[in-house]
């Protein structure tokens, strides 16, 4: 129960990695607020509270930031993200911009919203979910890689400025994680081919990402800031 009494805000908490992160914080006593893009008709107990925000809409990022300015959260996890895969010369300007808006501008504005109260409390933890494609890249990933490399730069500058205020800010770069989306996009044969290139020889689980996020966000982390940690079964190092 490392997070009893702590207020945690997780974007993209409705599915995949963000959902696992929100559930892990909740199971350790945190009061968790999550974001999703639309109001659900069915009950979802992943979080104590939901904020509905579609980050492709600038006004909705700004109202989410306004909510955060009033909330005095202890931990911010920017997990919501989108990917648009396309040959380089075919990338539409609108698509490039919307990837930057969801994956970079939204985390930036939400970080800006939480920093003042974290400075006042002299304590805060920020974890921005990047990707291995924010450390290396491959074809058809220009929009996504641009956003995730930039997320790392933004996080690094924030850490440089505010670590001494007690705000430890890091990126976490997952490799191939076993989410519904991964299974749908790749299919079993695609997954088999992929895992053969991963030293650990399997996909990562969302709960494994969540465990590292929780450690980075906990009191146990007293000296890790400004890093971009890969959780990729060794993929980017071989
Ligand atoms: P996912 O299953 O597709 O879930 C995406 C989450 O982001 C959902 O909660 C979704 O909300 C929210 N979201 C989608 N579009 C949004 C928008 N326009 N505005 C605000 N929120 C939006 O994603 P995931 O695979 O768990 O990935 C989560 C993060 O990890 C992303 O930043 C991704 O880049 C990163 N990542 C994933 C992998 C992987 O293998 N899965 C690997 C490396 C990095 P709704 O449910 O309302 O749509």
């Amino acid at each position: 129960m490392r997070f009893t009494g702590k207020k945690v805000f997780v974007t993209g908490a409705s599915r995949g990695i963000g959902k696992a992160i929100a559930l892990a914080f909740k199971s350790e006593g945190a009061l968790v607020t999550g974001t999703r893009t639309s109001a659900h008709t069915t009950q979802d107990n992943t979080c104590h509270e939901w904020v509905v925000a579609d980050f492709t809409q600038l006004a909705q990022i700004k109202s989410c930031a306004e909510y955060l300015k009033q909330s005095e959260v202890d931990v911010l996890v920017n997990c919501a993200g989108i990917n648009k895969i396309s040959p380089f010369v075919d990338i539409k300007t609108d698509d490039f911009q919307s990837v930057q808006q969801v994956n970079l501008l939204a985390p930036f504005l939400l970080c800006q919203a939480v920093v003042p109260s974290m400075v006042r409390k002299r304590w805060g933890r920020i974890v921005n979910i990047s990707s291995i494609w924010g450390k290396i890249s491959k074809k058809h990933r220009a929009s996504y890689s641009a956003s995730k490399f930039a997320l790392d730069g933004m996080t690094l500058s924030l850490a440089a400025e505010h670590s001494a205020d007690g705000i430890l800010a890091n990126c976490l770069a997952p490799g191939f994680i076993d989410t519904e989306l991964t299974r749908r996009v790749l299919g079993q044969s695609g997954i088999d081919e992929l895992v053969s290139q991963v030293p650990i020889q399997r996909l990562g689980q969302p709960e494994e990402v969540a465990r590292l996020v929780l450690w980075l966000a906990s009191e146990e982390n007293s000296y890790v800031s400004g890093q971009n940690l890969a959780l990729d079964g060794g993929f980017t190092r071989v």
Side-chain angles (χ1 to χ4, degrees), residues 12-18 35-38 53-56 79-82 102 129-132 144 148 174-177 179 181-182:
S14 52
R15 287 188 280 125
I17 296 170
T35 75
R36 60 190 183 204
T37 56
S38 59
D54 179 345
F55 296 154
T56 60
C79 186
I82 57 171
V102 174
I129 304 299
S130 177
S131 166
I132 51 170
Y144 189 68
K148 296 295 193 180
F176 306 110
I177 306 301
T179 60
L181 189 73
T182 303

Side-chain angles (χ1 to χ4, degrees), residues 10-26 32 35 40 43-47 50 79 180 206-207 210:
V10 182
T11 69
S14 52
R15 287 188 280 125
I17 296 170
K19 181 172 184 153
I21 293 169
L23 285 170
F25 274 116
K26 203 177 169 201
V32 183
T35 75
H40 291 189
Q43 182 87 358
D44 183 339
N45 294 324
T46 304
C47 300
W50 288 99
C79 186
E180 273 171 37
E207 292 73 20

